Amino acid sequence: MKNIAVFASGFGSNFEAILEAAEQGQLQAHIALLVVDKPACFAVERAQRHNVPVFAFNPKDYSSKEEYETLIVNQLEEYKIDLIALAGYMRLVGNVLLQHYEGKIINIHPALLPAFPGTHAIEKAYDYGVKIFGITIHYVDAGMDTGKIIAQDCFKMKEGESVDEVEARIHQLEHQLYPKILNQLVNH
Ligand code: GAR
């Protein structure tokens, strides 16, 4: 069975969906490590509840991205990680990680890329007035949400739907699609 590391920065609902899919056998992989750049984020609690080891770091404690990414790579090697799934990891991946795991880093983004890359994508799309919302799963390269697209899904906004309602539907879609695509990638 392949080993997956999930990277997160916040709430960790996608991480939880991935864990549950793995526990229920829909995702045939071992969720071997959680990496977070915010040691106090809720994703850490989820990892502890599911007995998943955590590597937590604070970027401010390091003089460069190269320095902390080197530590991350050491951890990934220790846990024999085959695939990295970014799940709300709000940080650009740098050269060190890309060189070691080229083509093995996946991200989920809450918009139909190439529209609305970066942060606050749902609010930006809502404020822009889009009528079809969606999500994108893509390979990670050095750019901001620019890597090759693997999968997308979408839905039509309902009349009068609030941004919070749209956001809830986006997360629902993410929680279904991400484990499914990860399963395809590790068991192709
Ligand atoms: C998700 O909606 C994910 O698509 C988004 O952050 C959220 C994390 O939620 N990622 C990005 O915006 C990346 N540019 P979660 O912590 O509950 O999984």
Side-chain angles (χ1 to χ4, degrees), residues 5-9 15 32-41 43-44 47-48 52-59 61-62 65-79 81 89 97:
V6 177
F7 285 32
S9 300
F15 172 51
L33 182 66
L34 174 73
V35 174
V36 297
D37 62 340
K38 290 203 168 63
C41 75
V44 171
Q48 285 162 351
V52 175
V54 178
F55 178 65
F57 68 98
N58 186 342
D61 295 341
Y62 302 93
K65 190 180 286 253
E66 286 74 18
E67 197 180 328
Y68 68 72
E69 285 199 345
T70 302
L71 292 182
I72 295 175
V73 167
N74 290 344
Q75 291 290 312
L76 297 173
E77 285 175 347
E78 193 174 319
Y79 285 93
I81 298 302
Y89 180 68
L97 268 169

Side-chain angles (χ1 to χ4, degrees), residues 10-15 87-88 90 107-110 118 122 145 171 174:
F11 190 52
S13 69
N14 278 284
F15 172 51
M90 303 310 268
N107 183 40
I108 187 159
H109 184 73
I122 302 170
D145 301 323
H171 291 316
E174 290 186 323

Side-chain angles (χ1 to χ4, degrees), residues 109-122 124-126 128-130 145:
H109 184 73
L112 291 169
L113 291 172
F116 308 108
T119 56
H120 307 296
I122 302 170
K124 283 180 193 159
Y126 189 89
Y128 194 89
V130 310
D145 301 323

